[in-house]
């Protein structure tokens, strides 16, 4: 079972699982806390960060996760680890203050390297280690029950970070900035590097019609009407750890935890979880929006996030649900027009198929908007 989400970014494929035990042992030796290593296992087929599980001998010592950070995606490793350290420290302090038990399963703990930082640089790659969360699992499918729990937990995650004293940076600059994503699409269209524009021109024109509406968050931010908060920005069910009884333990994969609109966490979760089909489903009749998953997630999220959400943020949550399939359409289409340089593709038209599937989902979310609005109004 994957512990960290599998990733689909093409420019990270250069990282392969070819490290020898000698190399790994050398890396691990730079983390003084780790002793008596019994076995190291490659954990996932994930393409962003290379991930290993480090098992120690004996039952009284914990196991660890060792990761080689993808430096091409996360170019500022100091900033990346600064964000993660601040976030995990703050959450741990809150859990301690609330006299929670079993805290080591409720927040990730990254351990110090002999450099004094939470990573080791071997001259070429950046490595980090955190404690492995024992007796945990991730869920493969989202049900209304788990959707509610995940909503509750992501809302709580943001609520806990609402008073974070440190300033966090953007680990991927402009990651969920819709204006920036439109600029990327327009640049791709202008360059037409792969000669694919003619085929997608009608779709580009369709997308452009909604661009103003979909870029409203950035405008509201500039007008001082919409805040940025610390968000997870990769809210999928596989980034949530559950215990063996299906109770939520903790949020993982903190690499994109950074300032963003709350729409990121709300909208991106539903983009994947409430889609009745796959992100790259070729049969568009299968792509629709699951209102039950939406309702359960919204209920959980608002329950724990209402302490800090402004009326405008709450009112705009249905907008967030439309925004993320729209943004993903724009990102896949830009990559298709550019000749597939970012996302890993499995067949030549893969990014085009993904584009159409996300655009269909976007249209479904538009249809669902009145019902989403009415449901949220009923929760307040
Ligand atoms: C990437 O690799 P994965 O699935 O965690 C992308 C997300 C996209 C997603 C679409 C760093 O995430 O923003 O929504 O693909 N992550 C990055 O499948 O670009
Ligand atoms: Mg990820």
């Amino acid at each position: 079972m994957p512990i960290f989400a599998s990733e689909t970014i093409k420019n990270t494929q250069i990282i392969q699982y070819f490290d020898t035990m000698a190399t790994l042992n050398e890396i691990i030796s730079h983390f003084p806390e780790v002793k008596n290593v019994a076995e190291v296992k490659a954990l996932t087929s994930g393409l962003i960060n290379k991930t290993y599980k480090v098992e120690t001998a004996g039952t009284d010592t914990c196991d660890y996760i060792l990761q080689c950070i993808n430096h091409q995606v996360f170019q500022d490793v100091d900033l990346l680890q600064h964000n993660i350290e601040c976030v995990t420290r703050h959450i741990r302090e809150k859990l301690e203050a609330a006299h929670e038990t079993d805290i080591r399963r409720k927040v990730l703990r990254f351990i110090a390297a002999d450099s004094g930082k939470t990573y080791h640089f071997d001259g070429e790659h950046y490595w980090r280690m955190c404690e492995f969360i024992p007796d945990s699992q991730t869920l493969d499918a989202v049900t209304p029950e788990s959707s509610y729990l995940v909503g509750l937990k992501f809302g709580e995650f943001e609520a806990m970070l609402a008073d974070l004293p440190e300033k966090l940076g953007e680990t991927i600059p402009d990651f969920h900035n819709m204006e920036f994503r439109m600029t990327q699409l327009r640049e791709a269209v202008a360059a037409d590097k792969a000669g694919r524009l003619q085929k997608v021109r009608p779709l580009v024109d369709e997308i452009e019609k909604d661009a103003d509406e979909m870029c409203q968050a950035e405008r509201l931010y500039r007008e001082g009407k919409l805040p940025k908060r610390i968000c997870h920005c990769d809210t999928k069910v596989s980034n949530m750890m559950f215990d063996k009884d299906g109770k939520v333990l903790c949020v993982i994969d903190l690499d994109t935890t950074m300032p963003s609109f709350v729409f990121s966490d709300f909208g991106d979760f539903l983009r994947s979880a409430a889609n009745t089909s796959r992100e790259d489903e070729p049969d568009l009749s299968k792509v629709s929006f699951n209102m039950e998953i939406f309702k359960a997630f919204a209920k959980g999220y608002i329950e724990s996030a209402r302490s800090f959400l402004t009326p405008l943020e709450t009112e705009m949550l249905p907008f967030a649900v439309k925004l993320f399939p729209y943004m993903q359409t724009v990102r896949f289409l830009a990559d298709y027009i550019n000749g597939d340089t970012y996302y890993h593709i499995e067949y030549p038209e893969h990014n085009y198929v993904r584009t159409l599937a996300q655009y269909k989902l976007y249209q479904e979310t538009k249809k669902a908007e009145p019902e989403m609005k009415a449901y949220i109004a009923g929760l307040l």
Side-chain angles (χ1 to χ4, degrees):
M1 181 195 324
I3 301 297
F4 285 79
S6 66
E7 312 283 356
T8 54
I9 307 297
K10 182 176 185 175
N11 55 13
T12 65
Q13 278 180 298
I14 39 101
I15 292 183
Q16 299 292 334
Y17 283 72
F18 51 55
D19 306 292
T20 62
M21 258 327 280
T23 308
L24 293 173
N25 278 327
E26 206 283 321
I27 304 291
I28 294 167
S29 74
H30 290 280
F31 293 86
E33 177 185 313
V34 187
K35 297 193 178 69
N36 300 324
V37 173
E39 203 177 342
V40 181
K41 296 175 178 159
L43 257 196
T44 72
S45 55
L47 293 175
I48 287 226
N49 299 317
K50 188 168 45 168
T51 304
Y52 295 96
K53 184 180 178 197
V54 178
E55 295 181 349
T56 57
T59 46
D60 52 337
T61 52
C62 60
D63 296 331
Y64 297 88
I65 293 291
L66 169 68
Q67 281 189 311
C68 182
I69 299 170
N70 189 308
H71 184 37
Q72 274 181 308
V73 172
F74 300 106
Q75 301 198 345
D76 188 341
V77 175
D78 268 313
L79 172 71
L80 175 74
Q81 289 305 105
H82 164 80
N83 280 8
I84 290 179
E85 284 167 33
C86 294
V87 164
T88 52
R89 186 189 315 124
H90 195 67
I91 293 178
R92 180 167 305 101
E93 283 169 6
K94 291 220 161 162
L95 295 173
E96 282 166 0
H99 304 292
E100 287 269 351
T101 56
D102 205 16
I103 289 177
R104 54 195 285 255
R105 290 168 81 213
K106 293 180 181 164
V107 62
L108 293 178
R109 183 175 68 89
F110 285 83
I111 67 173
D114 51 13
S115 59
K117 301 180 185 252
T118 54
Y119 64 83
H120 167 69
F121 181 57
D122 68 7
E124 200 180 344
H125 298 299
Y126 295 83
W127 299 83
R128 67 180 174 201
M129 290 188 82
C130 70
E131 193 176 327
F132 176 80
I133 300 176
D135 304 318
S136 60
Q137 58 170 339
T138 54
L139 302 186
D140 297 327
V142 186
T143 60
E145 293 72 38
S146 60
S147 184
Y148 168 76
L149 294 177
V150 172
L152 206 59
K153 196 69 185 181
F154 277 123
E156 182 194 293
F157 181 80
E158 290 177 356
M160 280 184 149
L161 297 174
D163 61 350
L164 185 77
E166 296 92 350
K167 201 171 149 35
L168 302 192
E170 296 191 354
T171 55
I172 302 177
D174 292 316
F175 188 41
H176 284 165
N177 179 333
M178 193 59 234
E179 287 178 343
F180 171 72
R181 297 301 180 186
M182 277 317 293
T183 303
Q184 284 185 319
L185 175 62
R186 288 166 187 155
E187 283 171 2
V189 166
D192 191 18
K193 269 191 235 147
R196 288 170 162 174
L197 180 61
Q198 200 191 350
K199 174 172 170 179
V200 299
R201 184 90 243 184
L203 181 56
V204 173
D205 294 343
E206 278 292 303
I207 288 170
E208 281 288 356
K209 285 184 197 153
D210 289 354
D212 262 1
E213 190 209 336
M214 300 322 284
C215 291
Q216 61 176 302
E218 284 77 22
R219 286 197 303 276
L220 289 165
Y221 176 70
R222 279 194 294 275
E223 291 163 9
K225 293 176 184 154
L226 197 63
K228 284 194 186 175
R229 304 185 184 279
I230 305 306
C231 299
H232 184 274
C233 296
D234 193 11
T235 45
K236 46 190 169 209
V237 73
S238 54
N239 280 339
M240 188 72 78
M241 302 303 289
F242 291 78
D243 70 11
K244 300 286 184 227
D245 305 322
K247 241 180 80 213
V248 176
L249 283 173
C250 94
V251 175
I252 62 165
D253 190 358
L254 304 175
D255 289 336
T256 51
T257 302
M258 60 173 139
S260 191
F261 303 119
V262 291
F263 308 153
S264 291
D265 290 353
F266 194 83
D268 209 26
F269 178 79
L270 290 165
R271 181 183 71 80
S272 55
N275 184 351
T276 54
S277 194
R278 299 192 330 251
E279 180 176 85
D280 58 355
E281 173 60 58
D283 179 355
L284 297 182
S285 70
K286 291 187 183 158
V287 179
S288 58
F289 184 71
N290 185 328
M291 191 55 85
E292 294 318 304
I293 297 290
F294 164 82
K295 287 181 178 169
F297 184 77
K299 187 169 186 294
Y301 178 78
I302 289 177
E303 244 171 75
S304 49
R306 68 187 332 150
S307 59
F308 66 84
L309 287 178
T310 65
L312 182 62
E313 284 175 307
T314 310
E315 186 194 313
M316 286 180 74
L317 291 177
F319 165 77
V321 178
K322 295 191 299 177
L323 176 62
F324 276 80
Y326 181 85
M327 191 185 299
Q328 201 60 57
T329 304
V330 168
R331 291 177 67 188
F332 283 145
L333 183 56
D335 197 35
Y336 179 70
I337 297 172
N338 284 333
D340 313 311
T341 61
Y342 189 78
Y343 292 103
H344 170 69
I345 51 165
E346 278 149 30
Y347 52 91
E349 295 292 280
H350 202 167
N351 273 322
Y352 184 58
V353 169
R354 286 170 172 149
T355 302
L356 296 182
Q358 289 294 295
Y359 194 63
K360 172 75 193 306
L361 181 64
Y362 168 59
Q363 286 164 318
E364 294 294 309
T365 59
K366 284 212 277 194
K367 281 192 238 156
E369 194 171 14
E371 195 177 342
M372 290 195 276
K373 281 187 172 164
Y375 182 75
I376 287 183
L379 291 177
L380 304 178

